[in-house]
Amino acid sequence: MPARDILLAAGAGVAGAVFFAAWLTGSLWALALSYLAALPLFAAGLSLGVKAAVIAAAAGTLAVLAAGGIGFALLFAAMNAVPIAIITRQALLHRPRPDGNIEWYPPGLLVMTTAYISTAAFLMLLLVSWGAEGGLEGYTRETLARALKLLAPPEMPADAIPALAAAMARYVPGLAAVTWIQMIAINAIFAQALLSLFGRNLRPSPRMSQIELPQWLTVAAAIAALGAFMPGFAGFLGANLLLIALATFVFAGFAVIHAMAAAWSGTPHSSRIWLVLVYAFTLAFTWPAVLVAALGVADTTIGLRRRLAGYAPKD
């Protein structure tokens, strides 16, 4: 690997560390910057290769270690460095086809990679906190209760804080995983778009309409949904795994929307307008993501895109 590329990769890792460490300042704008910590790491890996992704991950982790200590560095490694190196490696997998073209790792399996990583992280947290009173749910409940006591308004009844903390704790790990999946996806898409703009991308940009998820995911989500209605640990486990599954189905739902926009819109320009409106509406109100996930479930289960294609207007 050329020395220039090594320096670029290391610099990208340090840039990601700076973004990540920005929230130590306590500023709201710094918190927004920390959301972009994955962007330089993805840019290095998707333009220079897997080795560059590993170098960027290592350099970023060392920089965070110097700035914030071992705990902060482990958090950066878990949230950004290790997952991005894995995702980049998968994204750059390819093989020649009989017709001479290159077949790249499918975008649907890239989505599943983020689901696997977030699920593995959740299960690891379950194991690490197994000895705590109440396990991960109990630890989360106590942490939330302490935070709520500091943030709650004076007029809030004292007995309402434990109840609110208990209600929130049941879903916080899954919601954190959903937020992480969203963050990783946005940064990866943004990095690939910038690289494509300047002709530095190693693989062609995947198309959203090409995302297909495995059918077994619907069975797994159904089992998690059944578990979510059970009391105790089974309910906690099922509810959080269901949230991760639904976040994964959102991508398949948007794939349906992209396919519909392409098939039903009169021009590419009108198709883009509809897509921008859908994305803006979903980001602004959040709850439409549940409907998008439902589209993804339908597509994965019964092949909704193929069925809708038969009803598309013909020129």
Side-chain angles (χ1 to χ4, degrees):
M1 188 174 178
R4 173 180 172 275
D5 290 352
I6 294 175
L7 289 175
L8 286 173
V14 173
V18 170
F19 285 145
F20 187 77
W23 70 277
L24 287 175
T25 64
S27 166
L28 186 62
W29 288 106
L31 182 61
L33 277 178
S34 69
Y35 196 86
L36 298 175
L39 180 61
L41 278 71
F42 270 126
L46 295 175
S47 64
L48 301 174
V50 178
K51 290 182 180 179
V54 174
I55 291 171
T61 303
L62 290 174
V64 173
L65 176 64
I70 184 66
F72 203 47
L74 289 174
L75 185 62
F76 177 83
M79 289 183 62
N80 293 290
V82 174
I84 290 171
I86 294 172
I87 294 169
T88 300
R89 186 257 180 190
Q90 298 303 105
L92 296 180
L93 287 176
H94 62 279
R95 61 185 179 187
R97 295 171 55 180
D99 60 5
N101 293 320
I102 296 177
E103 181 181 0
W104 292 91
Y105 197 70
L109 293 184
L110 285 175
V111 172
M112 290 302 301
T113 299
T114 65
Y116 296 146
I117 293 172
S118 56
T119 301
F122 170 63
L123 295 177
M124 190 175 298
L125 286 174
L126 283 178
L127 291 176
V128 170
S129 59
W130 193 262
E133 184 178 354
L136 179 59
E137 184 176 9
Y139 176 80
T140 306
R141 182 172 59 249
E142 292 302 317
T143 303
L144 287 172
R146 289 194 295 269
L148 289 172
K149 285 180 182 179
L150 296 175
L151 300 174
E155 62 272 14
M156 187 174 186
D159 58 349
I161 292 178
L164 180 59
M168 294 172 62
R170 193 170 184 83
Y171 306 102
V172 162
L175 291 173
V178 170
T179 302
W180 178 84
I181 291 172
Q182 179 193 54
M183 179 196 73
I184 286 294
I186 290 175
N187 279 281
I189 292 170
F190 192 22
Q192 178 70 8
L194 288 174
L195 294 173
S196 299
L197 183 64
F198 295 102
R200 297 299 305 272
N201 53 308
L202 292 179
R203 70 165 286 170
S205 297
R207 297 174 62 183
M208 181 68 77
S209 58
Q210 295 174 339
I211 291 177
E212 293 187 6
L213 303 180
Q215 288 189 326
W216 63 259
L217 185 60
T218 58
V219 178
I223 295 172
L226 290 175
F229 288 99
M230 298 178 67
F233 176 75
F236 177 72
L237 180 65
N240 286 281
L241 290 178
L242 178 62
L243 285 172
I244 295 173
L246 290 177
T248 309
F249 280 121
V250 165
F251 291 91
F254 277 123
V256 174
I257 293 171
H258 274 254
M260 291 172 61
W264 289 77
S265 299
T267 65
H269 180 69
S270 61
S271 173
R272 284 192 291 270
I273 291 175
W274 281 111
L275 290 173
V276 168
L277 290 175
V278 170
Y279 277 103
F281 188 70
T282 303
L283 289 173
F285 297 100
T286 305
W287 62 261
V290 177
L291 302 179
V292 177
L295 280 178
V297 173
D299 182 67
T300 305
T301 307
I302 63 172
L304 183 60
R305 261 175 288 179
R306 291 190 297 272
R307 292 173 181 269
L308 291 174
Y311 297 95
K314 301 295 190 295
D315 293 332

